[in-house]
């Protein structure tokens, strides 16, 4: 099935009608959709995206993230708190420092895919 160059909307409609019908996807509960929205909002800030990308490489403490991202310590701590509340990162105390890491790779894939999409579109 191909659409010829210069085909107008009428021709495109005819060709798309040749495709087999698509089965509807699974229906998700409103609670699941709300939780997914909350998670995406937690990932939406540029600094939080940068933190996730840093933690994808290795676990880091706050001062490592401050040095790597050039962002003030209180702001890094605030963003880590949001990510921790959303279940994106967890912290493990090592003496006086807390070492932060990603909870799992699923969330990192969301961020990596979003960044790759933007870079490909640029």
């Amino acid at each position: 099935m191909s659409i010829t160059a210069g085909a107008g909307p009428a021709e495109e409609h005819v060709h798309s009608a040749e495709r087999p019908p698509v089965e509807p996807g699974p229906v998700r509960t409103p609670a699941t959709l709300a939780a997914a929205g909350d998670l995406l909002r937690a990932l939406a800030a540029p600094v939080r995206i940068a933190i996730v990308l840093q933690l994808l490489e290795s676990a880091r403490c706050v001062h490592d993230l401050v040095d790597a991202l050039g962002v003030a310590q209180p702001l890094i701590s605030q963003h880590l708190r949001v990510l921790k509340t959303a279940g994106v990162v967890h912290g493990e105390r090592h003496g006086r420092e807390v070492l932060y890491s990603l909870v799992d790779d699923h969330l990192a894939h969301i961020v990596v895919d979003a960044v790759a999409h933007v870079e490909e579109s640029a």
Side-chain angles (χ1 to χ4, degrees):
M1 153 176 57
S2 67
I3 297 175
T4 58
E11 289 93 351
E12 289 178 5
H13 178 71
V14 170
H15 290 286
S16 66
E18 295 173 7
R19 287 188 230 141
V22 177
E23 293 293 320
V27 177
R28 303 291 199 255
T29 66
T32 297
L33 297 175
D38 290 344
L39 177 60
L40 290 173
R41 276 188 290 284
L43 293 171
V47 172
R48 292 195 286 269
I49 291 170
I51 289 170
V52 170
L53 293 173
Q54 287 292 312
L55 297 180
L56 182 60
E57 293 180 23
S58 67
R60 311 275 169 109
C61 58
V62 172
H63 73 83
D64 290 335
L65 293 167
V66 167
D67 293 344
L69 302 177
V71 176
Q73 182 273 324
L75 192 55
I76 292 290
S77 294
Q78 179 183 5
H79 285 295
L80 282 167
R81 198 167 22 261
V82 170
L83 292 170
K84 190 173 180 182
T85 300
V88 176
V89 303
H90 70 277
E92 185 177 317
R93 183 162 294 282
H94 289 272
R96 292 176 37 181
E97 294 184 332
V98 177
L99 200 58
Y100 290 93
S101 59
L102 296 174
V103 169
D104 64 38
D105 287 344
H106 291 106
L107 302 169
H109 289 298
I110 294 168
V111 172
V112 168
D113 288 348
V115 170
H117 174 75
V118 169
E119 289 176 339
E120 290 172 359
S121 300

